[in-house]
């Protein structure tokens, strides 16, 4: 007579899936760690050619800011009633997608209350995964023509996070990509970073 719970095989399968995802997350993070010195070398070259630290931020400075922006945006998208104050952070073509993502969290805000929709960050690390030195835009589609500037710089941060939610305490592993763009002025350097593309959260097994 089998007295095992009928949920046991399902729960065991879920645990195995979670374990595989965590292993994949760590493997992909390790790959970024290996590539990190190369990206930093490229960053230093572009910084030097662009006028030094007064005109182009250091790599660590950019990545630290990317983490701060990422965590703040994630929390606001989940818990804030309104997100109009975030519009300037995104390109015009990306903003409608962000507003839609904010709306997707409305059921959670209604169910648990916005004060309980808190993200508890265990860790977040960021790595450069794309970088374009100051120059003309490569993509001149009309939806990208939001500025009169002739010169732009693009940099992308890949973020590896471990987090939990106040109403769902199990730890979650995610990988997100943020691509930033800024007009680049010959006199002042980087003007203002804004997000032009975002992907995630990605399941590490994908």
């Amino acid at each position: 007579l089998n007295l095992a719970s009928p949920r046991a095989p399902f729960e065991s399968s879920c645990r195995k899936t979670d374990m595989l995802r965590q292993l994949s997350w760590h493997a992909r993070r390790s790959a970024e760690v290996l590539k990190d010195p190369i990206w930093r070398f490229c960053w230093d070259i572009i910084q030097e050619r662009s006028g030094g630290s007064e005109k182009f931020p250091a790599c660590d400075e950019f990545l630290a800011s990317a983490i701060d922006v990422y965590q703040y945006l994630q929390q606001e998208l989940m818990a804030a009633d309104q997100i109009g104050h975030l519009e300037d952070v995104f390109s015009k073509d990306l903003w409608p997608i962000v507003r839609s993502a904010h709306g997707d969290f409305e059921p959670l805000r209604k169910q648990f209350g916005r004060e309980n929709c808190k993200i508890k960050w265990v860790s977040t690390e960021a790595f450069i995964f794309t970088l374009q030195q100051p120059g003309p835009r490569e993509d001149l589609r009309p939806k990208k023509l939001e500025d009169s500037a002739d010169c732009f710089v693009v940099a992308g941060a890949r973020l590896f996070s471990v987090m939990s939610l106040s109403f769902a305490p199990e730890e979650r592993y995610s990988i997100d990509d943020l691509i930033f763009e800024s007009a680049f002025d010959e006199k002042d350097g980087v003007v203002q970073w804004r997000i032009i593309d975002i992907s995630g959260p990605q399941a590490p097994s994908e």
Side-chain angles (χ1 to χ4, degrees):
L1 180 63
N2 184 4
L3 299 178
S5 166
R7 290 182 54 85
F10 174 76
E11 292 173 349
S12 176
S13 176
C14 289
R15 285 195 295 270
K16 289 179 181 178
T17 300
D18 289 342
M19 184 178 298
L20 289 174
R21 287 181 175 179
Q22 290 182 27
L23 289 173
S24 179
W25 184 93
H26 284 290
R28 292 175 64 176
R29 177 190 170 278
S30 296
E32 297 301 327
V33 170
L34 290 175
K35 293 184 288 185
D36 186 60
I38 299 173
W39 280 116
R40 288 178 177 273
F41 178 74
C42 295
W43 187 286
D44 290 344
I45 292 175
I46 291 177
Q47 183 189 45
E48 182 178 357
R49 291 178 177 176
S50 302
S53 59
E54 293 184 357
K55 295 185 179 182
F56 201 94
C59 185
D60 285 334
E61 179 185 351
F62 171 81
L63 291 175
S65 296
I67 291 174
D68 289 342
V69 168
Y70 166 75
Q71 292 185 342
Y72 177 72
L73 291 177
Q74 289 281 60
Q75 183 60 64
E76 289 296 282
L77 289 176
M78 174 169 285
D81 289 329
Q82 304 290 334
I83 59 168
H85 57 291
L86 302 178
E87 185 171 1
D88 290 342
V89 179
F90 299 93
S91 62
K92 290 182 180 179
D93 58 299
L94 187 59
W95 177 239
I97 300 173
V98 174
R99 286 190 304 175
S100 177
H102 173 254
D104 291 341
F105 288 109
E106 183 61 23
L108 292 178
R109 289 191 287 271
K110 288 183 177 179
Q111 181 178 357
F112 298 103
R114 60 181 302 273
E115 67 279 1
N116 294 318
C117 292
K118 301 292 185 182
I119 300 175
K120 299 179 181 179
W121 300 99
V122 178
S123 65
T124 300
E125 289 182 282
F127 301 90
I128 300 298
F129 79 97
T130 188
L131 181 63
Q132 296 177 18
Q133 64 183 350
R137 274 199 182 106
E138 294 183 0
D139 185 352
L140 295 179
R141 291 174 294 176
K143 69 175 184 177
K144 292 289 186 180
L145 298 179
E146 301 167 13
D147 300 290
S148 59
D150 296 322
C151 191
F152 296 86
V153 59
V154 174
R158 178 160 292 157
L159 299 113
F160 290 75
S161 297
V162 182
M163 69 189 81
S164 64
L165 306 175
S166 55
F167 54 83
E170 66 277 6
E171 288 188 351
R172 304 177 180 216
Y173 289 70
S174 69
I175 304 170
D176 296 88
D177 292 344
L178 297 181
I179 298 181
F180 296 83
E181 178 191 69
S182 172
F184 188 87
D185 182 79
E186 185 175 343
K187 178 181 178 182
D188 300 320
V190 172
V191 178
Q192 180 180 354
W193 294 110
R194 63 181 173 180
I195 300 171
I196 61 170
D197 197 13
I198 183 170
S199 63
Q202 303 174 18
S205 57
E206 293 178 354

